[in-house]
Amino acid sequence: ALIRVLEILNGDTTQVDSLIITKTGTYMFPLAKQKNFVLEVTKDGYARQTDSFNTFNENDKIHERDFKLFKPEVGTVVRLDN
């Protein structure tokens, strides 16, 4: 799977980093403080996953996210959180 780090500024997103996630599923990125970000995970044949967060709280030095990739099936209802 590919994970991309996108910075959000004035409603626009800019990719600041990316990497291929290994079978262990772990990943690490250095992040700038006082910013808004979106993590986006994609893999061929699987539904795209995203999660947004920020680095405004100086006490939160580690941001953990666990993505569950799934293969969408025709006729299956998928809930989209906006």
Side-chain angles (χ1 to χ4, degrees), residues 10-48:
N10 299 325
D12 294 325
T13 58
T14 302
Q15 181 173 319
V16 294
D17 211 339
S18 68
L19 62 82
I20 302 295
I21 300 172
T22 64
K23 289 184 179 184
T24 65
T26 59
Y27 55 91
M28 295 178 73
F29 294 102
L31 299 171
K33 295 178 182 177
Q34 307 295 311
K35 304 279 185 177
N36 292 301
F37 294 98
V38 172
L39 291 179
E40 177 186 68
V41 180
T42 57
K43 184 174 181 178
D44 287 343
Y46 290 81
R48 181 177 69 99

Side-chain angles (χ1 to χ4, degrees), residues 25-73:
T26 59
Y27 55 91
M28 295 178 73
F29 294 102
L31 299 171
K33 295 178 182 177
Q34 307 295 311
K35 304 279 185 177
N36 292 301
F37 294 98
V38 172
L39 291 179
E40 177 186 68
V41 180
T42 57
K43 184 174 181 178
D44 287 343
Y46 290 81
R48 181 177 69 99
Q49 302 287 308
T50 62
D51 193 16
S52 55
F53 65 99
N54 66 59
T55 56
F56 290 106
N57 186 345
E58 302 267 340
N59 294 325
D60 294 338
K61 295 189 183 211
I62 296 176
H63 297 268
E64 293 185 25
R65 299 295 186 270
D66 188 16
F67 293 95
K68 307 269 190 242
L69 297 180
F70 65 94
K71 290 185 177 187
E73 296 179 22

